C-alpha cells in the first residue's frame, strides 16, 4: 500500500506532473481531493517560509503528510527582486504582462541581466520538516520572445540555450526547469526514506 501524500496545490496540471515524477510508491492527492478549497496564505518574505507555511497548514488542519512549493525569479541587479513577490510584482492583480513590463523597465538601467528561477519545496513528513531546492540560472532578455509557458517565461533565457522558456516546447522546459530540479530532489529523498505505513 502506498504512502499517502498531499501536494498543496489546486492546479491539476501541476499535480499530474508531480505524480508522474514521484512514481507509484505514493498516493498523491491535491488540495481539492482532501476538501481544502481555500487559498492558503503566503504572507512571508522568503520562498522557504511560504512553502513551509503551506505544508504545515495542511499537516495541522487536515492531518496529512504534505509538501508545498514556492517559486520566484531572482534578478541579480535588482538585489534578488522580484523573488518571493514575483506573482504580485506589478500589483495585486497578478498580471503577467504588467509584471514583465515593470521588470524590463527596472532593469533597463543595468548592464548585468543575470537572473535565476528558484523553487523551494517544503515537506512535512511524519512530523519532521525538510526543504528541497531547484534553480535555473540565465539572462533576462530586452524584449518579449515566444508565446508558450506562463509568468516570466517570455523574457528568460536559461544558461546554455539561445531561446526563452516561452520559445521552448513545454516538455523541453519541464525537463530542465527549476521546479523539475526541486521535485527530483524531493523524489530522490522520498524513494530512499523508509516510512511507516498509514
Ligand atoms: P508559484 O510559486 O509557482 O505560484 O510562482 C510564483 C510566480 O513566479 C508566478 O506567478 C510566476 O509569475 C513566477 N513563476 C513561477 N514559475 C515560473 C516559471 O516556470 N516560468 C515563469 N514564471 C514563473
Amino acid at each position: 500500500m502506498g504512502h499517502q501524500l498531499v501536494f498543496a496545490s489546486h492546479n491539476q496540471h501541476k499535480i499530474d506532473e508531480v505524480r508522474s515524477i514521484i512514481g507509484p510508491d505514493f498516493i498523491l492527492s491535491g488540495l481539492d481531493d482532501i476538501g481544502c478549497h481555500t487559498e492558503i496564505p503566503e504572507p512571508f518574505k522568503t520562498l522557504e517560509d511560504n512553502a513551509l507555511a503551506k505544508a504545515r497548514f495542511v499537516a495541522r488542519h487536515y492531518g496529512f503528510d504534505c509538501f508545498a512549493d514556492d517559486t520566484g525569479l531572482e534578478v541579480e541587479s535588482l538585489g534578488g527582486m522580484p523573488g518571493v513577490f514575483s506573482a504580485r510584482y506589478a500589483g495585486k492583480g497578478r498580471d503577467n504582462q504588467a509584471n514583465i513590463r515593470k521588470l524590463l523597465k527596472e532593469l533597463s538601467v543595468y548592464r548585468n541581466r543575470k537572473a535565476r528561477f528558484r523553487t523551494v519545496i517544503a515537506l512535512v513528513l511524519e512530523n519532521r520538516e525538510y526543504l528541497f531546492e531547484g534553480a535555473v540560472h540565465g539572462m533576462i532578455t530586452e524584449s518579449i520572445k515566444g508565446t508558450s509557458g506562463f509568468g516570466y517565461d517570455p523574457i528568460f533565457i536559461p544558461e546554455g540555450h539561445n531561446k526563452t522558456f516561452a520559445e521552448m516546447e513545454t516538455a523541453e522546459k519541464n525537463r530542465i526547469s527549476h521546479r523539475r530540479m526541486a521535485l527530483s530532489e524531493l523524489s530522490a529523498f522520498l524513494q530512499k526514506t523508509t516510512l511507516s505505513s498509514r
Side-chain angles (χ1 to χ4, degrees):
M1 183 65 180
H3 190 89
Q4 174 122 32
L5 203 52
V6 173
F7 175 33
S9 173
H10 294 289
N11 182 333
Q12 193 57 45
H13 183 77
K14 258 188 178 182
I15 296 164
D16 290 341
E17 192 195 348
V18 170
R19 189 174 282 128
S20 75
I21 295 169
I22 291 208
D25 294 344
F26 294 87
I27 302 163
L28 190 75
S29 311
L31 289 179
D32 294 324
D33 301 321
I34 59 165
C36 174
H37 302 293
T38 49
E39 278 304 323
I40 304 172
E42 300 177 62
F44 297 106
K45 290 200 169 69
T46 66
L47 299 174
E48 285 80 359
D49 284 343
N50 279 337
L52 272 170
K54 285 191 284 183
R56 283 177 188 151
F57 180 93
V58 172
R60 279 194 197 140
H61 294 278
Y62 294 86
F64 290 107
D65 284 337
C66 176
F67 63 92
D69 69 339
D70 201 17
T71 297
L73 174 64
E74 300 175 335
V75 180
E76 214 170 85
S77 293
L78 304 180
M81 285 290 279
V84 73
F85 306 107
S86 292
R88 306 156 266 157
Y89 191 40
K92 283 187 188 151
R94 294 170 174 257
D95 178 339
N96 285 327
Q97 302 306 322
N99 287 340
I100 287 178
R101 273 198 305 275
K102 178 170 176 183
L103 183 59
L104 291 180
K105 187 159 176 264
E106 300 274 328
L107 205 52
S108 61
V109 295
Y110 296 97
R111 287 181 63 178
N112 175 2
R113 303 185 72 89
K114 285 186 196 162
R116 66 175 180 180
F117 273 114
R118 195 164 72 90
T119 294
V120 171
I121 292 177
L123 169 70
V124 177
L125 186 70
E126 300 187 326
N127 297 318
R128 290 182 186 204
E129 296 180 344
Y130 306 87
L131 287 171
F132 305 90
E133 184 183 300
V136 175
H137 293 257
M139 304 285 276
I140 302 295
T141 53
E142 286 181 9
S143 58
I144 288 172
K145 293 191 177 86
T147 52
S148 69
F150 71 103
Y152 298 89
D153 280 347
I155 57 165
F156 183 82
I157 299 181
E159 232 166 59
H161 296 260
N162 54 15
K163 51 189 177 182
T164 66
F165 268 163
E167 292 175 299
M168 294 180 176
E169 300 286 333
T170 306
E172 185 184 2
K173 177 196 163 188
N174 285 348
R175 262 197 307 277
I176 60 166
S177 82
H178 38 290
R179 215 176 334 273
R180 165 56 69 106
M181 287 163 118
L183 281 168
S184 298
E185 294 285 306
L186 168 73
S187 181
F189 172 82
L190 289 173
Q191 303 311 324
K192 69 174 202 289
T193 304
T194 313
L195 299 166
S196 56
S197 57
R198 29 182 306 187

